Amino acid sequence: MIKVLAIDDEPLALRQLVAYIQKVPFFELLGQCQSAAEAREIMEHELVDAIFCDINMPDLSGMEFVRQLAVRPVIVFTTAYSEYAVEGYKVDAVDYLLKPFGFNEFLRAANKVKKMVSPSAQEEDERMALSSSEAPGEATSIFVKTDYRMLRVQLSDIRYVEGMSEYLKLHLESQPKPVITLLSMKKLEDFLPGNFMRIHRSYIVNLDKVQEVNKNRVILDADTYLPIGENYKEAFQRYLDTLFLGK
């Protein structure tokens, strides 16, 4: 696990940053700080691998705080002011996030941090992220690594899978929030049984959950529409033809 500090003097921004960190399976949040002084106190007692640090803070800026560190963790700066980007890279920051940033942008920075801290860890994480006691195509459930634990997911519970950079979101019937795991779309696609089909670069759908097909999209319910990608139309149409009872 990569041990991370979050530093931001704005409570709302800090809360958002902490929420993003807690979504990343290979991050362990050591502390959330509203000043450089709070962060320094934690670093006196804990080994910190990476810091997500706001630049504009009272008393001591994030930039000055990092410059003063005798042993410097991997740094990602966050700020609302783009003019700090070049200065940030002068202190060897691995990335620079311009506020407001979304989770996808944060993930890209998180993966840069991972490559710096443990470059060989991704292969092991992916190997551990998906496991089952049954052979591919025969499994009724899988284990995925998420939030520091291995979670069993029943395949029949999966409505669809959404690709998101190097992560996947498993959208389930049994819970409102998706399960996020570090795993490639191709690896999961190869493992899933025949009632799952990739219909788009970013989507795998459980065909048993499809209620309607309308032009270039599948409809799972009144609120869920998934696009059918150009490269996947032919295979999806062949599937429809096998079930279509009409002229």
Side-chain angles (χ1 to χ4, degrees):
M1 299 292 286
I2 297 173
K3 298 181 178 181
V4 179
L5 276 185
I7 312 172
D8 199 307
D9 65 304
E10 298 176 8
L12 289 178
L14 181 60
R15 190 183 310 162
Q16 183 68 78
L17 182 58
V18 166
Y20 285 166
I21 290 172
Q22 290 175 331
K23 284 184 178 181
V24 177
F26 52 81
F27 277 173
E28 176 186 348
L29 181 66
L30 285 183
Q32 44 186 301
C33 311
Q34 288 189 262
S35 70
E38 288 181 34
R40 184 180 285 114
E41 185 174 343
I42 292 174
M43 293 179 73
E44 288 176 357
H45 302 94
E46 298 280 357
L47 180 63
V48 177
D49 296 313
I51 296 174
F52 286 80
C53 183
D54 184 32
I55 292 177
N56 298 90
M57 295 189 295
D59 300 326
L60 185 66
S61 74
M63 200 76 68
E64 288 304 315
F65 167 63
V66 169
R67 286 197 179 102
Q68 292 176 11
L69 293 175
V71 178
R72 196 175 292 174
V74 176
I75 305 296
V76 177
F77 281 121
T78 66
T79 185
Y81 302 96
S82 59
E83 61 265 26
Y84 287 110
V86 174
E87 191 177 354
Y89 288 121
K90 286 180 180 178
V91 294
D92 296 326
V94 70
D95 208 350
Y96 173 93
L97 292 171
L98 185 62
K99 298 177 183 179
F101 51 88
F103 187 51
N104 283 344
E105 294 168 279
F106 180 83
L107 277 179
R108 285 193 289 271
N111 283 311
K112 289 182 182 180
V113 170
K114 184 177 183 181
K115 288 176 182 177
M116 294 290 290
V117 175
S118 52
S120 63
Q122 182 166 337
E123 183 178 340
E124 176 66 11
D125 277 350
E126 185 163 294
R127 185 184 70 80
M128 290 294 295
L130 175 65
S131 63
S132 171
S133 60
E134 301 167 275
E138 299 175 0
T140 58
S141 65
I142 55 176
F143 282 93
V144 294
K145 188 176 181 182
T146 181
D147 294 335
Y148 322 122
R149 60 200 171 109
M150 297 292 284
L151 177 69
R152 183 190 288 275
V153 176
Q154 297 294 328
L155 297 184
S156 60
D157 193 26
I158 300 175
R159 301 179 70 224
Y160 66 98
V161 179
E162 180 181 0
M164 184 179 63
S165 184
E166 296 179 2
Y167 293 78
L168 297 182
K169 284 183 178 181
L170 307 183
H171 295 264
L172 309 179
E173 286 193 331
S174 61
Q175 59 186 63
K177 290 186 178 181
V179 172
I180 299 176
T181 185
L182 177 65
L183 185 64
S184 71
M185 184 75 90
K186 182 66 166 62
K187 186 175 180 70
L188 182 61
E189 182 184 10
D190 290 343
F191 190 92
L192 289 172
N195 60 314
F196 286 85
M197 179 177 285
R198 189 154 180 187
I199 60 168
H200 187 276
R201 178 171 59 89
S202 301
Y203 294 103
I204 296 173
V205 68
N206 184 340
L207 296 169
D208 296 336
K209 310 296 184 183
V210 175
Q211 299 301 313
E212 184 179 335
V213 180
N214 189 333
K215 296 182 180 178
N216 293 326
R217 61 185 183 176
V218 299
I219 300 173
L220 305 188
D221 56 44
D223 300 313
T224 310
Y225 300 75
L226 304 179
I228 303 171
E230 192 65 36
N231 294 335
Y232 302 89
K233 283 182 182 178
E234 186 176 341
F236 186 70
Q237 186 60 52
R238 286 198 299 270
Y239 160 74
L240 290 179
D241 291 344
T242 64
L243 299 177
F244 182 63
L245 299 178
K247 295 183 179 180

